[in-house]
Amino acid sequence: MPAPRHIPVVIIGAGPSGLLLGQLLYKAGIDNIILERKSADYVLSRIRAGVLEQVTMDLLHEAGAAEHMDRDGLPHHGIELLFEGKRHRIDLHGLTGGKSVMVYGQTEVTRDLMRVRAAEGLTTVYEAANVQPLEFDSEQPTVRYEHDGQVHEIRCDFIAGCDGFHGVCRASIPEDRIRHFEKVYPFGWLGLMSDTPPVSDELIYVNSPRGFALCSQRSHTRSRYYLQVPLTDKVEAWSDDAFWEELKRRLDPEARARLVTGPSIEKSIAPLRSYVAEPMRFGRMFLAGDAAHIVPPTGAKGLNLAASDVGFLSRAFIDYYKNKSAHGIDHYSEQCLHRVWKAERFSWWMTSLMHNFPEEGAFHTKVQEAELDYVVNSRAASTSLAENYVGLPMR
Ligand code: APR
Ligand code: PHB
């Protein structure tokens, strides 16, 4: 085995959390390495959400990775809610004193971060096998991994666990040091991507008697649609035609007439889950993004929460190295969780508001109808939706 090297921060996982953290630290002069289990192509093949809050856009600017987002991202000032056959606009911009969101795919964010990392000559080890965070309760943690048939070890000051929901970092914590909070929903989302113009300029969140649907987009020529489906459905059983027919049934007549269909370029089913691990710091190892929490995609918060965790973590490390202060790292977990739980609440609420829960019975459906009516007709209620959708500030 080669002699262990020392690198201040070892980041495990090259999803958006790990890549953004690596770049923010590099900009602040803090050396880091990223260890990723999969190949870069595999990481880029995962299609996920596409709505960025201002906080996320600001961090991408700070990371020097915002050029393509500024050029190709689509600013959105409102969203629509469709229920009982009618669409209602939520004026995000007007209700929040001028805030908006940016429609720009997570795949593109990841590609942009990979590009700037490569351009700076920073190291990412792809296809790193059997990555193990070790001795993170000591002053000098170690990360061991295998690559090209050799075992490697890196000594570091800190380990950043950016390795997603199924990663090794959270799994390395003894059960008596961690609490799990979880809610699993009784349905999934079937997503379809197509090179067709979006049905509408703004996103449409649909509550229909046949279940939830979402009309989203990636550009003026690429659409992303979703359908609520039972967890027992298999993606192979959904032909493109069946998808489009079911989507049409859930839309209002105008949208149905405008919908342009075409062959799918991606189709997949994802389960919906709410999950939080507490705390997010274990000695010198810190969890960030999906490694620490999952939200159902209804509020478009997953990527944004990952970004704000990383924003807090990069500041904490900068504080440590530049100001010799442990204040940031000592408050990291508390700071993140405060924001995480707000987003968990909002995502759970949007999910409860917009989906069919047949097992909950007719009372639930009636309450949902009353709440939807309240949300679009009360300025206070629409403001609450809008301020959460555009994203709460980072404290
Ligand atoms: N060793 C090294 N890398 C690992 C390991 C491991 N043992 N386990 C997982 N990884 C890698 C995964 O292959 C993946 O590339 O960690 C990365 C985690 O990336 P994401 O799952 O995208 O998580 P994160 O970067 O936190 O991004 C959160 O993703 O799921 C969405 O809604 C979520 O948009 C949010 C974003
Ligand atoms: C998406 O475009 O993939 C998307 C948008 C908004 C959501 C979820 C997913 O709430």
Side-chain angles (χ1 to χ4, degrees):
M1 194 193 306
R5 287 179 288 166
H6 181 274
I7 300 178
V9 180
V10 176
I11 299 171
I12 304 182
S17 302
L19 288 164
L20 180 58
L21 179 63
Q23 203 56 27
L24 291 170
L25 294 182
Y26 166 75
K27 288 277 173 190
I30 301 168
D31 197 13
N32 61 85
I33 185 169
I34 303 185
L35 306 176
E36 164 60 49
R37 176 163 62 176
K38 303 284 188 184
S39 68
D41 285 344
Y42 181 92
V43 172
L44 287 172
S45 71
R46 291 188 296 231
I47 307 230
R48 287 179 175 162
V51 177
L52 311 186
E53 298 173 2
Q54 189 62 53
V55 162
T56 307
M57 295 182 245
D58 292 346
L59 288 166
L60 287 168
H61 275 274
E62 195 179 320
E67 192 187 324
H68 291 203
M69 175 190 79
D70 289 341
R71 187 188 67 195
D72 302 331
L74 304 172
H76 278 221
H77 293 312
I79 56 169
E80 292 195 295
L81 301 185
L82 163 56
F83 56 93
E84 292 176 29
K86 287 201 188 63
R87 276 193 259 160
H88 305 261
R89 183 168 192 267
I90 304 288
D91 177 7
L92 299 174
H93 195 257
L95 290 164
T96 59
K99 295 188 183 155
S100 56
V101 292
M102 178 79 92
V103 170
Y104 188 65
Q106 177 171 325
T107 311
E108 281 63 46
V109 170
T110 309
R111 190 179 291 116
D112 295 347
L113 286 163
M114 283 180 176
R115 189 186 313 106
V116 292
R117 188 166 177 86
E120 305 288 7
L122 307 176
T123 310
T124 309
V125 180
Y126 287 98
E127 300 179 37
N130 201 12
V131 176
Q132 294 174 62
L134 301 167
E135 294 154 68
F136 44 83
D137 283 321
S138 75
E139 288 293 299
Q140 187 138 100
T142 303
V143 180
R144 188 178 297 153
Y145 65 101
E146 291 161 27
H147 187 62
D148 286 342
Q150 276 199 322
V151 178
H152 301 257
E153 263 188 21
I154 307 174
R155 295 235 170 92
C156 58
D157 302 329
F158 299 107
I159 300 173
C162 300
D163 50 349
F165 187 63
H166 301 287
V168 65
C169 293
R170 195 182 72 245
S172 309
I173 307 300
E175 272 309 308
D176 60 352
R177 292 179 61 186
I178 189 165
R179 285 188 74 191
H180 309 273
F181 302 85
E182 185 167 39
K183 180 172 175 61
V184 177
Y185 301 85
F187 41 72
W189 278 19
L190 167 65
L192 178 147
M193 185 93 90
S194 62
D195 277 324
T196 52
V199 66
S200 176
D201 290 342
E202 295 184 337
L203 271 58
I204 311 175
Y205 288 83
V206 185
N207 176 315
S208 90
R210 301 183 62 90
F212 171 81
L214 170 60
C215 304
S216 183
Q217 53 189 266
R218 290 290 178 275
S219 69
H220 295 306
T221 56
R222 181 167 286 187
S223 300
R224 180 72 169 158
Y225 296 104
Y226 295 96
L227 295 174
Q228 174 184 354
V229 294
L231 278 172
T232 45
D233 276 18
K234 297 274 172 279
V235 68
E236 304 76 40
W238 277 92
S239 67
D240 289 359
D241 284 347
F243 184 99
W244 294 120
E245 283 314 306
E246 184 56 33
L247 178 60
K248 282 184 193 164
R249 288 190 201 106
R250 297 185 191 188
L251 295 178
D252 59 293
E254 192 209 328
R256 195 176 302 136
R258 278 182 61 107
L259 181 72
V260 180
T261 65
S264 62
I265 53 175
E266 195 267 357
K267 212 162 37 186
S268 53
I269 294 182
L272 269 71
R273 183 198 302 269
S274 297
Y275 170 83
V276 182
E278 288 192 4
M280 290 172 59
R281 174 199 179 178
F282 303 89
R284 286 178 166 253
M285 180 161 80
F286 299 79
L287 304 180
D290 278 17
H293 41 71
I294 296 282
V295 287
T298 325
K301 290 284 161 254
L303 175 59
N304 294 299
L305 270 190
S308 57
D309 286 356
V310 159
F312 287 129
L313 190 54
S314 62
R315 284 183 206 166
F317 287 157
I318 293 167
D319 218 21
Y320 178 86
Y321 286 107
K322 303 283 175 238
N323 307 323
K324 308 221 173 339
S325 162
H327 185 266
I329 55 179
D330 287 343
H331 290 84
Y332 170 74
S333 184
E334 177 197 324
Q335 227 175 6
C336 287
L337 286 166
H338 183 82
R339 193 166 194 273
V340 165
W341 277 111
K342 295 281 198 299
E344 289 284 344
R345 184 212 66 84
F346 176 66
S347 306
W348 160 82
W349 175 79
M350 273 280 273
T351 304
S352 310
L353 183 69
M354 298 308 295
H355 290 75
N356 276 18
F357 292 82
E359 59 294 339
E360 299 276 344
F363 182 83
H364 183 269
T365 311
K366 283 288 182 185
V367 168
Q368 210 181 40
E369 284 169 19
E371 184 153 22
L372 281 162
D373 184 77
Y374 176 58
V375 163
V376 300
N377 288 307
S378 150
R379 191 174 171 90
S382 359
T383 304
S384 167
L385 192 167
E387 75 176 353
N388 280 280
Y389 195 89
V390 300
L392 298 174
M394 271 174 82
R395 274 202 307 181

